[in-house]
């Protein structure tokens, strides 16, 4: 049978049958899977759990169970979560920036992250935002075993939930392109945290997309919002930056749709694969439900330029969701642009191309709502530009 040898540093307390503590110390342990050998020897106190080196030998990972300020299992040994701040992460192509508190990750756009036009999808960008945020926490040394939760949050049974997100996209990365994603955090009121992102082309340095979001804390057991404990504020406040990717002096309010919405998609049911580590539907899935309600013909000819999401409550695995969508049909175009331009009946320039026409005049808007039978889940607002074509 294939086995592993795993020398591990941890704190162990031995007690007698009457509960009196007999010994306490730090040890390096070698465990044989069949129980034939078990050796212990003291180690220095500064040895960290993330220094564990799993080697081929006599110990099975599945047999490892330890205690260090609580339960430490196989999961932590496999993850190797840093217990101290790291400046460079070669595995994730990440490094700490902004004088020690920001984070930058270099990413290659994968084939499964693009659509039929070979450009990254909005869902892919949102997933990259989420991943870089978690990697930022990873390198900070604050990450516990929760979904982005700090050690103080885990002690208080708290998790992060997003309350608002705003994404602006000027250009979508293409398949195989190398991009850089910067992310940082800041204060949002007394009990919230703001997280921002900027995506740039590594080749040209051009900014492709910006995003800002607001996060609050929820009690994992009661599923109710919670105030930020002082110990959590003390953990994360040294990382705060007074900088915003999107300047929102007065955030736009999104109106609530009713049953008269033009497009409706009912009986949406979450799948097991839609749940995240906090056991609720991932926010990227919400966006997919919204966009799928928009007519296909519109999606074929237009590209999303911005999206604002206002989250009202979490969605569980057993709930049935309805997606409502209402276009801004009364919105007029600027500069007297004719409607027939949108149906490809007008040529601008002698070569059949759009030429120097400002594509921003071809902007549409949609209002969205995801809800259960009785409660709102998330309101949304999307803006769309006409796709730029090289010819007609």
């Amino acid at each position: 049978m294939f086995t592993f040898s795993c020398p591990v540093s941890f704190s162990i307390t031995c007690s007698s049958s009457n509960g009196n503590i007999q010994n306490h110390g730090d040890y390096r342990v070698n465990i044989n899977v069949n129980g034939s050998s078990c050796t212990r020897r003291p180690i220095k106190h500064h040895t960290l759990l993330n220094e564990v080196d799993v080697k081929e030998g006599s110990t099975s990972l599945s047999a490892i169970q330890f205690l260090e300020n609580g339960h430490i299992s196989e999961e932590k040994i496999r993850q190797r979560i840093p217990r101290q701040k790291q400046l460079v992460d070669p595995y994730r192509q990440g490094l700490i920036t902004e004088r020690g508190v920001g984070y930058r990750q270099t990413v290659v756009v994968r084939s499964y992250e693009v659509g039929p036009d070979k450009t990254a999808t909005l869902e892919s960008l949102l997933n990259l935002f989420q991943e870089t945020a978690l990697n930022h926490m990873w390198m900070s040394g604050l990450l516990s075993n929760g979904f982005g939760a700090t050690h103080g949050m885990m002690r208080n049974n708290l998790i992060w939930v997003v309350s608002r997100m705003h994404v602006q996209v000027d250009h979508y990365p293409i398949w195989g392109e190398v991009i850089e994603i910067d992310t940082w955090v800041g204060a949002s009121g007394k009990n919230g945290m703001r997280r921002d992102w900027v995506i740039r082309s590594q080749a040209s340095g051009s900014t492709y997309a910006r995003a800002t979001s607001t996060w609050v804390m929820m009690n994992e057991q009661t599923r109710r919002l919670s105030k930020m404990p002082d110990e959590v504020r003390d953990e994360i406040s040294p990382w705060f930056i007074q900088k915003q990717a999107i300047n929102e002096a007065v955030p736009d309010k999104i109106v609530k749709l009713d049953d008269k919405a033009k497009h409706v998609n009912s009986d949406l049911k979450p799948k097991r694969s839609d749940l995240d580590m906090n056991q609720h539907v991932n926010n990227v899935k919400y966006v997919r439900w919204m966009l799928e309600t928009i007519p296909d013909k519109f999606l074929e000819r237009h590209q999303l330029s911005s999206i604002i999401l206002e989250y009202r409550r979490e969605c569980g695995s057993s709930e049935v969701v309805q997606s409502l969508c209402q276009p801004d049909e009364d919105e007029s175009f600027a500069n007297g642009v004719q409607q027939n331009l949108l149906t490809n009946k007008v040529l601008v320039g002698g070569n059949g191309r759009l030429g120097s026409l400002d594509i921003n005049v071809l902007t549409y808007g949609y209002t969205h709502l995801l809800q259960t039978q009785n409660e709102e889940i998330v309101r949304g607002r999307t803006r769309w530009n006409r796709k730029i074509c090289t010819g007609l």
Side-chain angles (χ1 to χ4, degrees), residues 329-342:
E329 294 177 312
D330 60 343
E331 187 174 50
S332 59
F333 290 98
N335 301 326
V337 177
Q338 298 294 325
Q339 176 64 29
N340 56 5
L341 176 62
L342 300 181

Side-chain angles (χ1 to χ4, degrees), residues 10 44 47 58 161 169 173 300 309 355 382:
F10 66 102
K44 296 180 181 180
T47 305
S58 61
V161 291
V169 184
E300 291 172 0
L309 300 165
T382 57

